[in-house]
Amino acid sequence: AQKITQTQPGMFVQEKEAVTLDCTYDTSDPSYGLFWYKQPSSGEMIFLIYQGSYDQQNATEGRYSLNFQKARKSANLVISASQLGDSAMYFCAMREGGYSTLTFGKGTMLLVSP
Amino acid sequence: KAGVTQTPRYLIKTRGQQVTLSCSPISGHRSVSWYQQTPGQGLQFLFEYFSETQRNKGNFPGRFSGRQFSNSRSEMNVSTLELGDSALYLCATKRENGETQYFGPGTRLLVL
């Protein structure tokens, strides 16, 4: 079974609009971490936001917020006020237990138009 | 603070050759992980090093190996290259008790 599922291969949004990128995960470990990374065409993976499994509140980092619904095992990324520079591939990833290893989803390509 | 650096950035090799990639972590980061990214398989974990010891290993053949030096810099080596080894190789580093892995710009390897 897929540990990280990103069901949206591509998303299209207009500048200044908000967009939600979906991510569901599968783990039986009570301790885990969820991450979102952005990968522009240059290839570098840029860290956006982190949510720990024991965190009570949803994580926020500037225009990024993570909508963490533990019972549903979902960790959706919300980008408010999209900018042209947000056009990139977005990956959801998970760390389980005491390991640092990240398991990635297949990614969502986000295109922001003027 | 300088970010993660990877060298070389681009590499072209032929089948059967070997290649060595290098990763220099952010200052103070002692954990270095390597990932392979291909269009078909996505991002896959290769291995993690901490304090010069391999701490975890992904499901890759023995042709893929790595090491870490006392200054936390890491190298990965791929021997007897195959066409399927063409990929973007990313390294990621983190502090000992940190959660977040920070990635380098990657090395694009093309095997002809």
Side-chain angles (χ1 to χ4, degrees):
Chain A
Q2 293 261 352
K3 284 189 174 283
I4 296 287
T5 302
Q6 294 182 252
T7 57
Q8 305 153 314
M11 289 284 285
F12 189 79
V13 67
Q14 284 204 300
E15 204 176 3
K16 299 178 187 174
E17 289 184 347
V19 62
T20 298
L21 306 184
D22 295 341
C23 173
T24 57
Y25 59 92
D26 183 26
T27 180
S28 57
D29 198 311
S31 174
Y32 54 90
L34 297 157
F35 302 80
W36 278 92
Y37 286 87
K38 170 185 176 182
Q39 187 178 42
S41 56
S42 60
E44 183 171 358
M45 297 285 282
I46 301 167
F47 166 73
L48 296 178
I49 197 165
Y50 163 78
Q51 179 87 41
S53 59
Y54 296 117
D55 293 343
Q56 296 295 315
Q57 296 197 326
N58 287 344
T60 60
E61 290 281 351
R63 293 186 300 113
Y64 305 106
S65 61
L66 199 153
N67 185 359
F68 181 45
Q69 298 189 41
K70 198 169 183 176
R72 298 177 61 181
K73 293 190 174 180
S74 77
N76 298 340
L77 176 71
V78 180
I79 306 174
S80 64
S82 298
Q83 301 172 355
L84 296 178
D86 293 336
S87 293
M89 197 74 170
Y90 287 79
F91 291 94
C92 179
M94 177 172 66
R95 170 200 60 74
E96 295 175 90
Y99 295 101
S100 299
T101 306
L102 294 177
T103 303
F104 287 85
K106 293 193 180 301
T108 295
M109 172 65 78
L110 176 66
L111 290 176
V112 181
S113 68
Chain B
K1 203 178 204 181
V4 179
T5 58
Q6 290 188 246
T7 57
R9 293 293 311 280
Y10 305 92
L11 210 45
I12 300 175
K13 293 284 189 179
T14 56
R15 278 181 298 173
Q17 287 187 310
Q18 75 160 10
V19 68
T20 298
L21 312 182
S22 178
C23 173
S24 292
I26 293 169
S27 178
H29 287 199
R30 294 168 61 196
S31 165
V32 178
S33 296
W34 289 88
Y35 294 84
Q36 180 198 64
Q37 185 177 24
T38 60
Q41 299 298 317
L43 281 145
Q44 294 184 288
F45 170 73
L46 282 155
F47 26 66
E48 180 198 5
Y49 285 87
F50 180 82
S51 290
E52 303 178 65
T53 302
Q54 188 180 87
R55 193 151 71 170
N56 200 5
K57 189 177 190 306
N59 188 25
F60 277 81
R63 300 185 297 106
F64 292 81
S65 63
R67 59 178 175 168
Q68 186 180 33
F69 301 94
S70 59
N71 62 356
S72 295
R73 188 177 72 86
S74 177
E75 289 181 347
M76 67 163 280
N77 184 275
V78 188
S79 62
T80 319
L81 284 165
E82 300 177 0
L83 296 179
D85 297 333
S86 295
L88 176 66
Y89 290 88
L90 293 158
C91 85
T93 78
K94 76 177 191 71
R95 292 182 290 108
E96 180 175 357
N97 295 316
E99 279 291 349
T100 302
Q101 293 189 38
Y102 295 92
F103 284 78
T107 295
R108 290 190 187 272
L109 171 65
L110 176 62
V111 182
L112 301 175

